[in-house]
Amino acid sequence: MTELSGGPALPQERRIVTAVPGPKSQELMARKQATVAAGIGTVMPVFARRAGGGVLEDVDGNSFIDFGSGIAVTSVGNSAEAVVRRATEQLNDYTHTCVMVTPYEPYVEVCEELAALTPGDHAKKSALFNSGAEAVENAVKIARAYTKRQAVVVFDHGYHGRTNLTMALTSKNMPYKHSFGPFAPEVYRVPVAYPYRWLTGPDNCAEEAAAEAIDRITKQIGAENVAAIVIEPVLGEGGFIVPARGFLPRIADFAREHGIVFVADEIQSGFCRTGQWFACEDEGIVPDLITTAKGIAGGLPLAAVTGRADIMDAAHSGGLGGTYGGNPVACAAALGAIETMREQDLPAKARRIEEIMKPRLEKIAAGSEIVGDVRGRGAMLAIELVKPGGKEPNPEATAALAKACHQQGLLVLTTGTYGNVVRFLPPLVIGEELLNEGLDVLEDAISGL
C-alpha cells in the first residue's frame, strides 16, 4: 500500500496518539539542540512530517489542526496541487540561472501578476527578493533613491524584519532587537491608532493618533526630510492591531501632500489573508509601494516590492537584486499559488473564516475575565489576554493557553508587543468542520486556565 503524502489528500482530522512532544520529536529535538544555533527558537516542540489542507502531522503520528499556516505562508494549504505541479515542472527545466545573468519568463510573469493584483490602475513595476525583510529594505532603498531624502517613519508596534535596517524599523526589542545593535540611523517612530489601548478610547483613536503622528513628523523630523512612511495595514507581530478606521487614509494623504513615498507592508496581511487580496484595499488606500512575501508562493521563499513605475525605476541599473532573488522555482510556485487563490476564491474563503471564527471568539471573550479584546479581519484574527479587572497584559496566561492548545492538538501562535496576544492564521482552504473543532479546543483551553 502506498503511503499517503502531504497536501490536500492528508486526512483532515485532529489526532493525538502520543504525549506532545512524542518520542521521535524528542529525539530530533536533542539533535537540533546539539547542532542548530540556540537563537533559532521553537513555538511547538514537535517535528513536522507532512501537512496539507488544515492539518499538520508530526513524526510521531500526531495530527494537529493548523491555526498558524507557517506564520501566514501556506494560505493555499501545504503542498497545494497547483504549487507542486508548477514548481515540479520548473525543477525539471532548471533550478537557477540568476535573473541578473540570464532572465527567465517566470520572473516576468510574477511581476505581471503583481501589477494586475495590487491596488491602483497606474503603471506598476516590481522587483523580486527572497524574504519580507529584504523586500522592506529594498522599498526603503527605492524610496530614498526616488525622493533624495533619508528619513524613514515607522509606527509603534510595527514589525518589518530582522536585517539591520528592518530591526531599526521594528518596534519590539525582545526577541528581535535585543543585543543586536547599533541599528541603522534616520529611522523615526510615531504613534499608531491602537483602539483597545488608546487612552481616550477607540472613538477618538483615529483622529488623535493621526494628529499626534503628523505633529511629530512635522516638528521633530520635517516632512521635507522624509523619504518613506512604512506601515502594516494590519500590524502583525505587534499584536494583529487593526488601526482605527480613518487613521491610515489620513497618514496616506499626508504622505501624498508632502511627496513622501507611502509603503504598505503587506507581508503578513497580503494575498487574500484579510478577506481582500490586500488589506489596504479595505479603506481604499493605493500605496506608492507595497511589499509582499509569506503567502505569495505557497511556502517557497519569495518576496516582492511592487509600486508606481516611476518610483520603482528610480534605482540605477544594477542597484537592486540578489543572487537568489526571484528564483525560478519560487516564481513558478507563486504562479501556482495565485492560480489557486483565483480558482478557489480565497478572499471569499477568508471572509467565511471570519464569519465562523469571530462570533465564537467574541462569545468566548464574553465569558472570560482574561480575554480583553477580539480583533482582526478575514483569517487574520486574534485575542488579547489581560489580567482580570483591567487591561494589564497577561503574557503568562497567553503562554499557558498556547501550550494547552498544543497539547490538545491545536497549533496556535502567540504575538504582540507585550507577549499577550494569541493569533489565528488558519490556511484559507481549511474545512469548516475542522475550523469549528479547533475553536472547541481553544474554548476548552481557555476555560481550563
Side-chain angles (χ1 to χ4, degrees):
M1 180 176 170
T2 303
E3 187 178 12
L4 285 170
S5 63
L10 198 62
Q12 298 296 291
E13 62 183 13
R14 178 172 63 102
R15 182 178 66 251
I16 300 298
V17 296
T18 72
V20 178
K24 292 181 180 178
S25 281
Q26 292 182 47
E27 180 183 339
L28 285 166
M29 185 59 72
R31 289 169 56 189
K32 175 182 181 289
Q33 290 170 344
T35 58
V36 177
I40 305 296
T42 300
V43 171
M44 188 169 72
V46 304
F47 279 73
R49 183 185 181 201
R50 52 193 183 183
V55 297
L56 182 149
E57 184 182 288
D58 74 5
V59 292
D60 290 288
N62 300 301
S63 179
F64 299 85
I65 299 173
D66 184 4
F67 275 14
S69 298
I71 316 184
V73 169
T74 55
S75 297
V76 297
N78 255 295
S79 295
E81 185 277 332
V83 173
V84 173
R85 168 170 44 83
R86 289 195 182 228
T88 300
E89 291 169 355
Q90 182 58 54
L91 280 166
N92 288 329
D93 290 338
Y94 56 91
T95 58
H96 176 75
T97 71
C98 185
V99 74
M100 299 178 296
V101 176
T102 56
Y104 36 84
E105 187 175 5
Y107 190 111
V108 177
E109 287 184 280
V110 170
C111 293
E112 288 170 340
E113 289 284 18
L114 288 165
L117 291 169
T118 52
D121 57 6
H122 51 275
K124 300 174 202 164
K125 292 189 177 183
S126 294
L128 305 183
F129 304 97
N130 301 292
S131 69
E134 281 186 72
V136 172
E137 186 140 343
N138 278 277
V140 170
K141 286 166 57 177
I142 292 164
R144 284 173 168 167
Y146 177 74
T147 61
K148 312 303 181 189
R149 304 171 182 175
Q150 294 184 343
V152 181
V153 172
V154 289
F155 293 81
D156 287 341
H157 308 288
Y159 175 86
H160 301 287
R162 295 175 184 257
T163 62
N164 186 267
L165 174 59
T166 57
M167 281 191 294
L169 302 178
T170 292
S171 67
K172 187 176 180 181
N173 175 50
M174 183 62 79
Y176 305 117
K177 303 170 72 167
H178 180 72
S179 78
F180 297 144
F183 303 115
E186 287 300 311
V187 173
Y188 301 88
R189 199 172 316 283
V190 297
V192 74
Y194 187 167
Y196 181 64
R197 294 197 172 274
W198 195 254
L199 288 177
T200 61
D203 292 342
N204 303 315
C205 184
E207 182 178 346
E208 291 181 0
E212 187 172 342
I214 290 168
D215 184 68
R216 290 194 193 181
I217 295 169
T218 304
K219 300 295 194 304
Q220 298 182 24
I221 311 163
E224 67 278 8
N225 296 316
V226 178
I229 292 175
V230 184
I231 189 168
E232 302 161 277
V234 177
L235 283 72
E237 298 295 319
F240 278 34
I241 300 163
V242 180
R245 289 190 69 81
F247 176 80
L248 288 172
R250 181 68 189 92
I251 298 298
D253 288 345
F254 173 80
R256 190 175 305 109
E257 290 163 7
H258 294 277
I260 300 167
V261 177
F262 184 84
V263 182
D265 179 344
E266 293 254 17
I267 286 158
Q268 190 162 179
S269 60
F271 283 100
C272 311
R273 176 53 59 181
T274 63
Q276 294 161 302
W277 277 90
F278 299 97
C280 58
E281 296 178 77
D282 183 64
E283 293 189 80
I285 293 168
V286 178
D288 297 312
L289 301 178
I290 184 168
T291 59
T292 52
K294 290 192 181 289
I296 192 174
L300 275 73
L302 189 70
V305 182
T306 303
R308 298 182 183 277
D310 58 330
I311 299 177
M312 291 297 298
D313 281 344
H316 55 275
S317 179
L320 303 178
T323 302
Y324 299 107
N327 170 270
V329 181
C331 286
L335 295 170
I338 292 168
E339 175 187 328
T340 304
M341 292 171 196
R342 281 201 181 102
E343 289 188 352
Q344 298 189 26
D345 193 2
L346 293 194
K349 292 280 183 68
R351 294 192 295 271
R352 177 60 181 156
I353 287 170
E354 180 181 352
E355 288 175 1
I356 293 170
M357 289 193 72
K358 210 163 194 181
R360 286 285 306 274
L361 294 173
E362 288 168 347
K363 181 181 177 184
I364 291 169
S368 171
E369 288 187 307
I370 63 169
V371 180
D373 194 30
V374 174
R375 56 179 177 257
R377 294 205 306 266
M380 188 174 181
L381 302 170
I383 54 175
E384 180 164 353
L385 273 59
V386 295
K387 295 184 178 177
K391 292 186 178 182
E392 183 181 351
N394 196 340
E396 298 82 10
T398 306
L401 175 59
K403 184 175 181 179
C405 289
H406 297 165
Q407 294 293 318
Q408 295 303 314
L410 175 64
L411 193 165
V412 297
L413 306 173
T414 59
T415 191
T417 302
Y418 310 110
N420 69 322
V421 175
V422 179
R423 55 179 160 175
F424 308 109
L425 293 161
L428 305 184
V429 297
I430 192 171
E432 292 187 9
E433 184 176 342
L434 206 60
L435 189 65
N436 277 303
E437 185 177 354
L439 290 167
D440 292 340
V441 173
L442 177 72
E443 187 169 6
D444 289 344
I446 289 176
S447 66
L449 291 180

